[in-house]
């Protein structure tokens, strides 16, 4: 247990530091802008490129693994969306945000840091694959469902163009594409560039976690949504279970890859859920509350999940030898 605490305390400690500093040093949320730009457009892309470019190309095309992880996330979205739509008698927009809160984990800011800390550089490739393909799914789902609800009145062509633009131009996905290309072509960056990438990669996790703590601090909890219990239960408990079962059914994967996917599935709701809610003016305060509450609860659930993994209680395959 001491090893697990040694992993999670520095990780969540950075989020806590950001939270406390934001309370002590009164700055508006907008002051975090350039920090977020650095994280999203520079530091995390550098991390993804650096690690993927060193990976044998055959390890970057595990389509069964990609299907298992993305499908388990989609199942979470579909279950929450369907349940909410039934209870609200067909309210699509609000149900979409609830579905995203139950499925869209903080795999960008929290994922690389905790997975690499827990499993080493072997976790880099599954983190990048999960991030890339799950974000493609989320970028497509949110505007499509909002268009069906009537909240987005763009033409189908304009909507498809916007979805494609978000996917193609996202800095993480661009970095992933460049990293895969460098791996395929065996491109090795010159020494000065490699050192720069190393510095940026090392800065990514501390900056992302600190910025996340600041963001949580400056979006105070005003209302606990009635859907909080099922959202938290699905996101933090059911999602990693479904992911584990799906990967056991789909194929025989490297244990580090399985555990990385399960760990990422157990992360709290992404701050992007709040961003999407704010963009469409739907369930905004409650989306913010979902992010804050699931993040607080994840201190305990992620610690428990890591304990199950590290102690060997959770095997990497539910059906060994099948």
């Amino acid at each position: 247990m001491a090893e697990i605490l040694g992993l999670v305390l520095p990780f969540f400690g950075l989020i806590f530091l950001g939270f406390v500093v934001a309370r002590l040093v009164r700055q508006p949320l907008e002051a975090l802008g350039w920090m977020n730009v650095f994280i999203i457009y520079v530091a995390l892309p550098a991390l993804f490129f650096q690690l993927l470019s060193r990976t044998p190309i055959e390890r970057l095309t595990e389509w069964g693994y990609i299907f298992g992880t993305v499908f388990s996330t989609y199942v979470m979205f579909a279950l929450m969306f369907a349940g909410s739509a039934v209870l609200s008698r067909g309210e699509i927009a609000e149900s979409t945000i609830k579905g995203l809160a139950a499925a869209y984990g903080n795999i960008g800011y929290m994922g690389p840091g905790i997975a690499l800390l827990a499993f080493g550089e072997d976790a880099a490739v599954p983190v990048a694959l999960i991030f890339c393909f799950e974000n493609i799914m989320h970028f497509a789902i949110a505007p499509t469902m909002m268009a069906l609800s009537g909240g987005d009145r763009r033409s189908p062509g304009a909507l498809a163009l916007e979805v494609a633009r978000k996917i193609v131009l996202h800095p993480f996905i661009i970095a992933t594409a460049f990293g895969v290309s460098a791996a395929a072509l065996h491109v090795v960056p010159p020494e000065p560039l490699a050192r720069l990438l190393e510095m940026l990669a090392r800065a990514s996790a501390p900056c992302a976690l600190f910025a996340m703590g600041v963001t949580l601090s400056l979006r105070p909890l005003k209302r606990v949504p009635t859907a909080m219990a099922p959202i938290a239960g699905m996101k933090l408990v059911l999602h990693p279970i479904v992911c584990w079962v799906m990967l056991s059914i789909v194929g025989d994967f490297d244990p580090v890859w399985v555990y990385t996917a399960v760990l990422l599935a157990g992360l709290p709701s992404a701050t992007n859920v709040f961003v999407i809610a704010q963009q469409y003016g739907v369930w905004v305060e409650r989306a913010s509350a979902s992010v804050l509450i699931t993040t607080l609860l994840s201190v305990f659930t992620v610690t428990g999940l890591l304990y199950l993994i590290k102690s060997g209680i959770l095997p990497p395959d539910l059906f060994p030898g099948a």
Side-chain angles (χ1 to χ4, degrees), residues 273-291:
V273 174
F274 168 78
V275 173
I276 293 169
Q278 196 172 45
Q279 178 184 351
Y280 292 101
V282 177
W283 220 60
V284 179
E285 288 185 7
R286 297 168 190 176
S288 178
S290 299
V291 175

Side-chain angles (χ1 to χ4, degrees), residues 10-12 14-15 18 109-110 113 204-214:
F11 182 83
F12 286 108
L14 281 165
I15 298 176
Y109 274 23
M110 296 178 71
S204 60
C207 290
L209 295 173
F210 183 86
M212 183 180 171
V214 173

Side-chain angles (χ1 to χ4, degrees), residues 5-62:
L5 293 176
L7 285 173
V8 299
L9 286 180
F11 182 83
F12 286 108
L14 281 165
I15 298 176
F16 179 72
L17 281 174
F19 188 93
V20 171
V21 169
R23 291 298 175 115
L24 296 176
V25 182
R26 294 294 179 178
Q27 294 287 337
L29 185 58
E30 291 74 20
L32 199 61
W34 282 110
M35 171 74 89
N36 286 326
V37 169
F38 172 74
I39 295 165
I40 295 171
Y41 287 88
V42 182
L44 283 172
L47 174 67
F48 285 137
F49 173 83
Q50 183 194 49
L51 296 174
L52 287 172
S53 64
R54 302 172 182 172
T55 304
I57 188 63
E58 61 272 10
R59 300 207 69 196
L60 301 175
T61 54
E62 289 276 5

Side-chain angles (χ1 to χ4, degrees), residues 51 60 72 86 104 120 141 157 170 175 179-180 222 239-240 264 295 313:
L51 296 174
L60 301 175
S72 65
V86 169
Y104 196 174
I141 283 177
H170 194 286
V180 171
K222 296 180 180 179
H239 192 180
L264 264 59
T295 300
I313 295 174

Side-chain angles (χ1 to χ4, degrees), residues 37-185:
V37 169
F38 172 74
I39 295 165
I40 295 171
Y41 287 88
V42 182
L44 283 172
L47 174 67
F48 285 137
F49 173 83
Q50 183 194 49
L51 296 174
L52 287 172
S53 64
R54 302 172 182 172
T55 304
I57 188 63
E58 61 272 10
R59 300 207 69 196
L60 301 175
T61 54
E62 289 276 5
W63 297 112
Y65 180 82
I66 293 167
F67 170 79
T69 55
V70 173
F71 183 73
S72 65
T73 301
Y74 177 75
V75 167
M76 293 300 99
F77 172 83
L79 286 175
M80 176 54 71
F81 175 86
S84 175
V86 169
L87 292 175
S88 63
R89 298 182 180 180
E91 174 55 55
I92 293 178
E94 185 175 300
S95 299
T96 297
I97 302 300
K98 290 179 183 177
L100 290 174
Y104 196 174
N106 207 325
I107 54 177
Y109 274 23
M110 296 178 71
I114 195 166
L116 292 174
L117 193 64
F119 307 121
E121 288 197 359
D122 287 346
V125 175
V127 167
L129 291 176
I130 291 169
F131 180 87
C132 182
F133 285 94
E134 286 201 1
N135 271 285
I136 289 173
M137 179 179 67
H138 293 307
F139 291 158
I141 283 177
T144 301
M145 298 307 293
M146 289 303 176
L148 291 174
S149 74
D152 191 330
R153 300 186 181 280
R154 287 174 292 182
S155 67
L159 187 65
L161 187 63
E162 176 65 11
V163 170
R165 185 187 67 81
K166 284 186 175 182
I167 293 171
V168 173
L169 298 182
H170 194 286
F172 292 178
I173 293 176
I174 291 174
T176 299
F178 274 103
V180 171
S181 299
L185 299 173

